[in-house]
Amino acid sequence: SFTASHGGYRAVTLSWKESTNATRYNIYSADTFYGQKVQCGEAKAGVTNLTLQEKSGSDKYYYITAVNAAGEESSFSNYARGSTLAVPIVVVEPNSNGTSATVFWWIQNSYLETYASNLIFELEYSPAQGGLTETKTISYDEAKTDDSRSFKTTLTSLSPNTTYSYQISATVIDDQSNAETSEKQTFD
């Protein structure tokens, strides 16, 4: 069997079972299911996993082949879909009197079949002109919408007539050492 990880920080780890008579393995990736397969890695016999560095927000289809001592390459394996954690994109809708705001964010490749349910978020917000930065930690279940790539939360008790800056960090629960963080957004 051939598997790929989801939600890693700019890396995808591939794992497979060793093939008899293989002297090496060739790794291929494609941007879409029907996309062109391009060799992106190689592993020696005896190796059964490989970590590939990928861009933030990658979502690819990976394939592996075994090469024997005569240099003959096997056919492609079944695909393994892998993804990396993506940077959140933030939009804020303040209410009319400015005492509350709904913060929406979107993560391009956090489908349910990838890593969406393993996410946790940290929202930082503060008055744009300086002041105390507040932090709110939000679970996937608290923030999810009907679309597994869209999330929202509502902030209350904001100071009226104040411009705030907002920033979202997303981490995967299993690896909170690295986060993808949105650009700071300022909204009235």
Side-chain angles (χ1 to χ4, degrees), residues 22-98:
T23 58
R24 75 172 193 273
Y25 300 96
N26 291 332
I27 311 298
Y28 296 84
S29 68
D31 291 333
T32 64
F33 182 75
Y34 294 107
Q36 180 180 355
K37 297 171 184 76
V38 176
Q39 187 171 353
C40 60
E42 186 177 302
K44 297 184 285 189
V47 173
T48 57
N49 61 54
L50 180 68
T51 298
L52 300 172
Q53 300 305 307
E54 297 285 2
K55 293 179 184 175
S56 172
S58 291
D59 186 2
K60 292 185 178 183
Y61 295 82
Y62 296 92
Y63 303 83
I64 189 170
T65 61
V67 180
N68 65 20
E72 299 166 328
E73 189 171 18
S74 70
S75 58
F76 289 109
S77 65
N78 289 332
Y79 76 87
R81 186 176 177 191
S83 64
T84 60
L85 185 60
V87 174
I89 298 168
V90 179
V91 174
V92 178
E93 289 183 4
N95 74 352
S96 59
N97 66 8

Side-chain angles (χ1 to χ4, degrees), residues 9-160:
Y9 182 75
R10 300 180 187 171
V12 172
T13 299
L14 307 175
S15 300
W16 59 90
K17 290 189 178 183
E18 193 166 6
S19 177
T20 308
N21 300 324
T23 58
R24 75 172 193 273
Y25 300 96
N26 291 332
I27 311 298
Y28 296 84
S29 68
D31 291 333
T32 64
F33 182 75
Y34 294 107
Q36 180 180 355
K37 297 171 184 76
V38 176
Q39 187 171 353
C40 60
E42 186 177 302
K44 297 184 285 189
V47 173
T48 57
N49 61 54
L50 180 68
T51 298
L52 300 172
Q53 300 305 307
E54 297 285 2
K55 293 179 184 175
S56 172
S58 291
D59 186 2
K60 292 185 178 183
Y61 295 82
Y62 296 92
Y63 303 83
I64 189 170
T65 61
V67 180
N68 65 20
E72 299 166 328
E73 189 171 18
S74 70
S75 58
F76 289 109
S77 65
N78 289 332
Y79 76 87
R81 186 176 177 191
S83 64
T84 60
L85 185 60
V87 174
I89 298 168
V90 179
V91 174
V92 178
E93 289 183 4
N95 74 352
S96 59
N97 66 8
T99 59
S100 67
T102 302
V103 181
F104 298 89
W105 62 100
W106 181 75
I107 298 182
Q108 76 181 33
N109 67 347
S110 67
Y111 309 102
L112 288 174
E113 64 270 16
T114 60
Y115 61 90
S117 61
N118 290 322
L119 289 170
I120 192 162
F121 306 100
E122 190 170 273
L123 168 63
E124 289 186 355
Y125 58 101
S126 62
Q129 302 303 317
L132 181 65
T133 297
E134 306 258 357
T135 302
K136 180 178 181 180
T137 301
I138 309 154
S139 72
Y140 168 81
D141 287 333
E142 292 171 308
K144 70 181 178 180
T145 64
D146 292 337
D147 172 3
S148 64
R149 294 178 290 170
S150 299
F151 305 92
K152 72 176 183 178
T153 192
T154 300
L155 299 173
T156 57
S157 303
L158 299 176
S159 298

